[in-house]
Amino acid sequence: MTNGTNAPTALTRRDTLRLASLFAASTLAGDLIGGSAAHAATPGTLVVAAPGTPQSLDNEFDGSLGTIDAIGQLYDSLVAYKKIPDPKVPGVLRENIVDDPSLPGDADLEGRLAESWEVAPDGMMLRLRLRKGVKSNWGNELTAEDVKWTWDRKFALNAIGGFQVGLMDLASPDAVKVEDRYTVSFHPTHPNPIMLKIQTHRYANIFDSTKCKEMATAEDPWARKFLESNSAGFGPYSLKSLVRGQQAVFTARPDYYLGKPAIDTIIYKEVPTSATRTALLQGGAVDIAQALQPLEIKQLGKAPGVKIETVDASSMMWIILNAKVAPFDKPEVRQAMNYAFPRDAVIASVFQNIASPMKGCMPSIYPGYSDAFDQYSLDLDKAKALLAEAGLPDGFKVEIAYNAGDPVQEPIALLFQSSLRKIGVELVLRKVPAGTYFNEVSAKKLPMLFFVDAPWTADPVFALRLYFYSKSFVDYSNYANPKVDEMIEAGSQMTDLAKRTELMLEIQKIVMADAPWVFVASPNFTMARRDKVEGFTYYTSNSINFADFSVKA
């Protein structure tokens, strides 16, 4: 669920910028990026400059941006949110994630692989009826057995899918039942209010079990080796080729059940540095440039032939405060760190106002969110008083780790360091290589680390349980509040939307006061593309679906 990438480069920044100019300005570009420059901004081909190619095509084991994008093209989910116009940016669509208690699962959904669904009033059953005649990229028809095998695999591998199993409250594989060839049902142990919403998750895609079983072996019964570099799905594109570190090529499926996508070929290029991706887009060698830095986005906003659209998003950046490492075992110290954080300066200078201050502990765009419990405007006197209350009137020394692969983290850390110095706290900066950074986060041992993430299911139960439930593997702050755990467990079984929303607000109030994070920013999602490319739709997974796009001739 973290949009990180491991894409090292031996080039210096100066060399990279020179190379970018050559890419954009000379006929050499076509050779250097595999001939894609000749096809950029044409109706048949879309060229994307991304930080990295898919590290794996198996959604159980990788959450990098390249993998997230690839999963969305090769696979499909059972249901999806309906789309509505973005309220702030004309011409952009986004998912309608507003809760609607008049609808099954409180969600405004449309069918994908499923054509209809029903949720039992007591929250003890979800039934989905599949479309008939849907074929995978291998030509096998979708059946309920594919859904069953997909969830059996989640149980067996107990990786990313294991978290989904837990949220669905499924006791065993027997809780997923094949009722007939085209009907499947889920039976949680307790009432479950979000089991339908979980089916919208980017990684709730369905596998072609016929092909996977064909490729499985006794040593590899779940076809892990095959699915790491190949696809077996029902999505709009198939994989033509994948050369990790270079590019992935996707081709539109003429037999896709929702109709052949408008763009025939997607060339997904690995371009490790943001500066190079910026130059390639500006020069016209690529059609879309992903994951650009704020100053580069500002620069591209003035470039001819380039279109920039930035929208409110689910992504959040925070600083982990490890509650098991002194002095962050004291809530007063964690609160003091928030009062000393120069949030407004970070938004203005580092993010160039292409972000919002983070005023809550879940995405601000999600239903049930509230900023009413934010109390952490910059107040150094308050911060010093809290440190004295915690027995640290002279401050302390602490290390903060930041990701070398994310250029905004170091300047944020430097601003924070300067502010903390005024209250007697010495912040020591430690740069961690991008390839090993997540290992440091998941180890849960360092006192302070930057983290960027988004909960992909647009629901407060999902978001709050992901980060603040002490039994969650994503509780990287080692935060443990028995009352919060009890309330999260209760909310996970509460089918009454109004009561559940009220309970989730109380959890947000407690978490904000406990301050397991320094609440940094909610970065916008920015689509940077050539102006001939149309069809941008924002998804809470902060990734793109190539089938949405078309290119003007």
Side-chain angles (χ1 to χ4, degrees), residues 103-227:
L103 296 172
D106 305 321
D108 188 15
L109 304 177
E110 60 187 13
R112 281 292 189 266
L113 298 179
E115 63 180 7
S116 64
W117 49 93
E118 58 183 295
V119 179
D122 62 1
M124 291 295 291
M125 187 275 296
L126 166 65
R127 177 178 290 115
L128 300 110
R129 295 178 177 84
L130 306 181
R131 295 175 186 264
K132 297 178 180 179
V134 174
K135 298 294 182 67
S136 76
N137 59 302
W138 295 100
N140 298 313
E141 187 187 14
L142 170 73
T143 72
E145 291 291 346
D146 296 310
V147 181
K148 170 67 174 169
W149 187 90
T150 297
W151 280 86
D152 285 353
R153 188 174 193 265
K154 294 178 189 293
F155 274 98
L157 299 179
N158 195 30
I160 292 175
F163 181 72
Q164 296 173 330
V165 166
L167 280 167
M168 290 277 286
D169 195 18
L170 303 175
S172 73
D174 292 339
V176 183
K177 300 183 183 299
V178 173
E179 298 190 3
D180 60 40
R181 183 173 176 82
Y182 301 106
T183 307
V184 65
S185 58
F186 296 82
H187 302 266
T189 304
H190 303 95
N192 190 293
I194 64 171
M195 56 184 165
L196 181 58
K197 287 183 179 180
I198 290 172
Q199 306 306 320
T200 70
H201 195 283
R202 186 72 156 191
Y203 279 9
N205 52 280
I206 305 301
F207 290 106
D208 171 1
S209 62
T210 301
K211 181 63 180 179
C212 291
K213 290 176 181 178
E214 176 187 327
M215 303 308 297
T217 64
E219 296 76 24
D220 183 18
W222 299 103
R224 288 181 56 179
K225 184 175 181 180
F226 172 73
L227 291 173

Side-chain angles (χ1 to χ4, degrees), residues 342-397:
R343 193 164 59 183
D344 291 342
V346 165
I347 296 297
S349 63
V350 180
F351 285 103
Q352 297 291 303
N353 294 312
I354 310 177
S356 302
M358 190 176 173
K359 296 185 176 183
C361 53
M362 58 180 275
S364 60
I365 65 172
Y366 281 13
Y369 165 85
S370 176
D371 62 5
F373 314 116
D374 175 51
Q375 54 187 299
Y376 300 117
S377 58
L378 184 63
D379 188 336
L380 296 180
D381 290 337
K382 178 70 171 176
K384 290 184 70 173
L386 284 164
L387 290 183
E389 185 179 338
L392 296 165
D394 299 323
F396 56 93
K397 181 178 180 179

Side-chain angles (χ1 to χ4, degrees), residues 14 56 91 97 100 109 146 291 357 376 492 525:
R14 182 176 180 181
S56 172
I97 59 175
D100 186 339
L109 304 177
D146 296 310
Y376 300 117
S492 298
F525 184 91

Side-chain angles (χ1 to χ4, degrees), residues 17 108 113 271 374 443 536 541 548:
L17 290 172
D108 188 15
L113 298 179
V271 184
D374 175 51
F536 170 41
S541 58
D548 294 333

Side-chain angles (χ1 to χ4, degrees), residues 290-340:
Q290 292 186 299
L292 303 182
Q293 299 308 314
L295 282 172
E296 293 159 349
I297 292 170
K298 290 286 189 180
Q299 169 194 336
L300 284 171
K302 303 173 184 178
V306 174
K307 190 169 187 177
I308 300 291
E309 289 168 322
T310 180
V311 300
D312 294 339
S314 63
S315 184
M316 303 179 290
M317 174 183 281
W318 66 88
I319 297 171
I320 294 167
L321 300 176
N322 194 332
K324 285 189 176 180
V325 177
F328 300 128
D329 54 340
K330 299 179 179 180
E332 296 86 359
V333 177
R334 301 195 299 263
Q335 292 168 2
M337 299 297 282
N338 275 280
Y339 280 115

